[in-house]
Amino acid sequence: MYNDAQQKAIDSKEKRILCLSAAGSGKTSVLIGRVSKLVSDGVSPESILVLTFTNAAAQEMKDRYRKYNPDKSSPMFGTFHSFCFRLLTHDPAVRSAIGYSIAPRVASDAQIKRIKTKCKTTLGTKLPDSAINGTPEFLKSKEKFECDAFKKLYNKTLRQEGLITFDIMCYDVAKLFAENHPCIAKYKQRFQYVFVDEFQDTDSKQWDFVRSFTDSSIFVVGDARQAIYRFRGADSEIIKRLAENAEWTTIKLEENYRSTEQICAVANKTHDKIWGNSPYNIKLHANKTGDKVEWKNISLCPEYDAIMRFIEGSADGQTIAILCRTNREVDAIVERLRKFKIPYSTKNESDYTPQIIRSALDDSYLIEFISSHLSQQDFNEFIRMSVIDPELTTNKDKFMMMFGTKLPDISTKVLGVSEILKSDSPYADKLTLILGLLGKQVSTTKLMESNQDIIDFLTNIEIASNVKSEIYVGTIHSSKGLEYDRVHLMGVGSRSFRIDDDEDNLNLYYVGITRAKEHLTIWNGDVL
């Protein structure tokens, strides 16, 4: 089931493990495999904390864990933000330590803007946000004085109004851990095993939080080449330093189960010039061969006619993605696709068919699944209100009454399938309606002949998508964690996407390349 490197990562008894996991190497399976082994060896799930960067990813990991451990309780899976907010809503001592007397609400953009304007007016300052949010050492003495005064009044006002921002939520709570504040001692004692997924996206404050668990076993998994969120404060230098730290055991997952040997060969060359044989550089290995990677020049097709027709003609029932460096380039591609009436989508949604079916049958799971796809702000409000009224996590009507106007797109399918299953229609009609809602196609002849239960059928059968030939158009950032049969990587080497020695662009280049499963076309030149 696992290759040697994966099994080593699952079984290792070392206390500090950096798992360098290349794209498509099964990192989530390894992480869940290690968690499951700990539990099967007698470790209490309540002593395990698993952190990632999106609520949807946390929910996916929780689902995978439950699949392999159906009769055991779950560890805590969540994002850094949701973990910190849970402490604030559940623990008065933590709230008090950072200046809150009640469980706060997450401030909206409008509320933050109002409070900032109010504070500036009160202080009579016209400091721009760039000065307030910038690096203090670059400010003049008068500006620094005004900036300090603003921040004090701003933080005081937030607390007086019972509001909190994501920065305060994560960083102030993380600081309590880093400084070993007495109120968090019980959490360090409780969580003896800490896991961090997508570790390359960790910023310095989050890393201070993680490494404060000095007596716990820590397992982090990531890939420095997939660090594409520097603009959010994520620092790939952290994962690089750990790879060079003798106190940490490094395990490399280099076998790729997604792409062809030809695609992996191109991915392997991306960072050679700037990283060489550095300990954090990973070499992908694939067990399947395929087409040669194609290199094409956009400048040879100035009207885009040949490009669009080439991409449309390559569909052949496969998933296709056109990936760009910027949103402006995405808009330019979309304009051409519209011109030639080529079907496309700018929504990048994973196939959640099993979760949708389960949600339709189990109200508690429906709430859990839908809430994980709420915006981070709405999800934190869900956590806060769940403390006030625990029934919110199990009562579908209460959940819908409170969050019905804020539901994510996926809820349309979840609620639609639920209503169809409850209807009095013949089950063959139900199946047709459900498959249509899910965008799936499958012959129902076998089902009707065998009179198979509709739930078993939907849960277990391999169902093809009706929209496999539809082209996804988006930024490389939007494709992170996903895969497509064919990828067209646009504008490589252009003014906005230079890959000579710019590590940020090289990382984006690598992520774009490794989204491709069967075929990769790299388009050089300016898209705009």
Side-chain angles (χ1 to χ4, degrees):
M1 182 178 179
Y2 298 107
N3 63 41
D4 291 345
Q6 290 174 329
Q7 196 66 57
K8 180 180 179 182
I10 290 170
D11 295 337
S12 177
K13 303 296 184 182
E14 298 295 332
K15 199 169 183 178
R16 297 285 183 271
I17 299 175
L18 167 63
C19 184
L20 288 176
S21 178
S25 62
K27 68 176 181 62
T28 303
S29 295
V30 168
L31 190 152
I32 296 302
R34 184 172 175 84
V35 171
S36 297
K37 185 174 189 306
L38 287 171
V39 174
S40 67
D41 288 346
V43 172
S44 169
E46 291 189 357
S47 69
I48 300 173
L49 173 64
V50 184
L51 297 169
T52 188
F53 287 86
T54 68
N55 294 316
Q59 181 64 38
E60 180 188 351
M61 287 194 290
K62 187 186 294 186
D63 286 341
R64 288 206 196 187
Y65 172 83
R66 287 170 172 166
K67 179 179 179 181
Y68 298 114
N69 304 275
D71 301 322
K72 296 176 181 176
S73 58
S74 293
M76 182 177 287
F77 293 91
T79 65
F80 281 91
H81 284 121
S82 63
F83 174 79
C84 291
F85 196 68
R86 285 181 192 278
L87 297 194
L88 288 173
T89 54
H90 287 75
D91 194 330
V94 174
R95 289 201 298 271
S96 177
I98 64 171
Y100 286 89
S101 57
I102 60 172
R105 293 177 180 270
V106 178
S108 66
D109 291 340
Q111 288 171 321
I112 291 173
K113 183 177 181 179
R114 173 182 59 79
I115 292 173
K116 282 185 175 180
T117 301
K118 177 182 176 181
C119 292
K120 288 180 181 180
T121 302
T122 300
L123 295 171
T125 180
K126 294 183 179 180
L127 276 175
D129 285 348
S130 58
I132 293 168
N133 301 326
T135 309
E137 56 262 32
F138 294 114
L139 299 177
K140 297 177 181 178
S141 57
K142 181 177 181 296
E143 291 175 331
K144 188 176 185 306
F145 176 80
E146 290 182 356
C147 188
D148 289 342
F150 170 84
K151 288 181 177 179
K152 287 179 182 177
L153 182 58
Y154 173 68
N155 287 327
K156 180 181 178 181
T157 305
L158 280 171
R159 286 163 171 79
Q160 286 175 338
E161 295 193 17
L163 297 172
I164 194 167
T165 65
F166 287 114
D167 282 350
I168 294 174
M169 181 197 310
C170 193
Y171 296 158
D172 283 21
V173 174
K175 188 176 180 182
L176 297 178
F177 279 82
E179 295 179 351
N180 284 313
H181 192 283
C183 73
I184 53 83
K186 59 186 175 184
Y187 299 109
K188 288 191 177 181
Q189 183 177 3
R190 171 185 169 182
F191 295 114
Q192 293 299 302
Y193 299 88
V194 179
F195 291 76
V196 183
D197 187 29
E198 301 287 4
F199 184 66
Q200 74 279 349
D201 297 333
T202 304
D203 65 31
S204 59
K205 298 296 184 183
Q206 292 164 338
W207 171 229
D208 287 343
F209 165 81
V210 172
R211 65 178 176 174
S212 74
F213 287 82
T214 52
D215 296 327
S216 303
S217 294
I218 301 176
F219 182 95
V220 299
V221 57
D223 181 356
R225 294 176 302 178
Q226 297 188 65
I228 59 175
Y229 296 113
R230 187 189 296 271
F231 61 91
R232 294 182 187 170
D235 189 355
S236 64
E237 293 303 314
I238 297 171
I239 194 170
K240 292 177 184 177
R241 287 197 299 270
L242 288 195
E244 297 172 331
N245 189 335
E247 296 180 3
W248 281 71
T249 297
T250 298
I251 300 173
K252 293 186 177 183
L253 306 183
E254 299 180 307
E255 189 165 346
N256 180 283
Y257 295 96
R258 174 189 300 155
S259 308
T260 65
E261 181 182 347
Q262 289 79 2
I263 294 170
C264 288
V266 175
N268 285 337
K269 293 178 181 178
T270 57
H271 289 68
D272 284 349
K273 182 178 176 182
I274 62 170
W275 285 2
N277 294 319
S278 62
Y280 41 82
N281 202 1
I282 313 174
K283 295 295 184 182
L284 295 171
H285 305 292
N287 57 10
K288 65 178 181 179
T289 60
D291 301 330
K292 290 182 179 180
V293 173
E294 292 190 89
W295 302 79
K296 295 185 176 293
N297 196 319
I298 292 175
S299 64
L300 299 179
C301 310
E303 297 302 321
Y304 273 77
D305 194 334
I307 295 178
M308 296 302 106
R309 293 305 182 195
F310 173 82
I311 292 174
E312 182 186 31
S314 68
D316 194 26
Q318 295 185 311
T319 54
I320 297 178
I322 303 176
L323 304 180
C324 304
R325 174 69 176 82
T326 67
N327 283 310
R328 285 186 64 206
E329 291 167 329
V330 170
D331 292 341
I333 297 293
V334 165
E335 183 181 337
R336 266 70 175 197
L337 291 170
R338 285 175 177 168
K339 175 182 176 182
F340 297 115
K341 296 181 173 56
I342 299 173
Y344 72 92
S345 173
T346 55
K347 286 188 177 182
N348 209 344
E349 187 179 286
S350 298
D351 185 4
Y352 291 113
T353 298
Q355 293 90 334
I356 290 171
I357 300 304
R358 181 176 174 184
S359 295
L361 302 171
D362 182 342
D363 283 355
S364 293
Y365 184 80
L366 178 149
I367 294 169
E368 183 179 287
F369 177 66
I370 291 182
S371 67
S372 73
H373 287 78
L374 291 169
S375 70
Q376 185 67 61
Q377 181 172 328
D378 290 336
F379 181 77
N380 285 328
E381 181 64 8
F382 169 69
I383 293 175
R384 192 184 76 85
M385 294 305 298
S386 298
V387 175
I388 299 171
D389 184 1
E391 279 194 9
L392 192 61
T393 62
T394 57
N395 188 309
K396 177 182 171 183
D397 292 335
K398 281 191 174 184
F399 176 81
M400 294 302 298
M401 185 179 298
M402 183 160 294
F403 294 97
T405 61
K406 302 175 180 179
L407 296 180
D409 292 342
I410 191 71
S411 62
T412 302
K413 294 181 179 180
V414 173
L415 298 173
V417 170
S418 180
E419 290 304 311
I420 293 170
L421 288 176
K422 292 177 182 177
S423 72
D424 295 329
S425 302
Y427 72 75
D429 292 344
K430 288 184 182 180
L431 179 64
T432 301
L433 290 171
I434 289 172
L435 293 177
L437 182 61
L438 297 177
K440 306 290 183 179
Q441 60 182 4
V442 67
S443 172
T444 59
T445 304
K446 186 175 181 181
L447 170 69
M448 290 186 286
E449 287 176 352
S450 63
N451 203 35
Q452 183 181 358
D453 180 77
I454 189 171
I455 303 303
D456 289 342
F457 180 83
L458 289 168
T459 303
N460 298 315
I461 197 167
E462 290 291 331
I463 306 175
S465 171
N466 282 335
V467 293
K468 274 208 165 186
S469 60
E470 187 173 75
I471 298 168
Y472 170 72
V473 189
T475 62
I476 298 172
H477 283 99
S478 73
S479 71
K480 181 77 179 296
L482 299 174
E483 59 185 35
Y484 311 87
D485 296 319
R486 290 175 172 266
V487 166
H488 294 268
L489 195 55
M490 309 301 292
V492 176
S494 67
R495 287 166 294 181
S496 66
F497 203 176
R498 300 199 181 282
I499 57 172
D500 294 335
D501 54 6
D502 184 310
E503 186 170 320
D504 288 344
N505 278 342
L506 282 171
N507 289 355
L508 279 171
Y509 183 46
Y510 172 82
V511 169
I513 290 169
T514 54
R515 299 312 93 197
K517 295 166 60 178
E518 305 294 339
H519 193 91
L520 172 67
T521 304
I522 298 174
W523 295 85
N524 296 113
D526 291 321
V527 174
L528 299 173

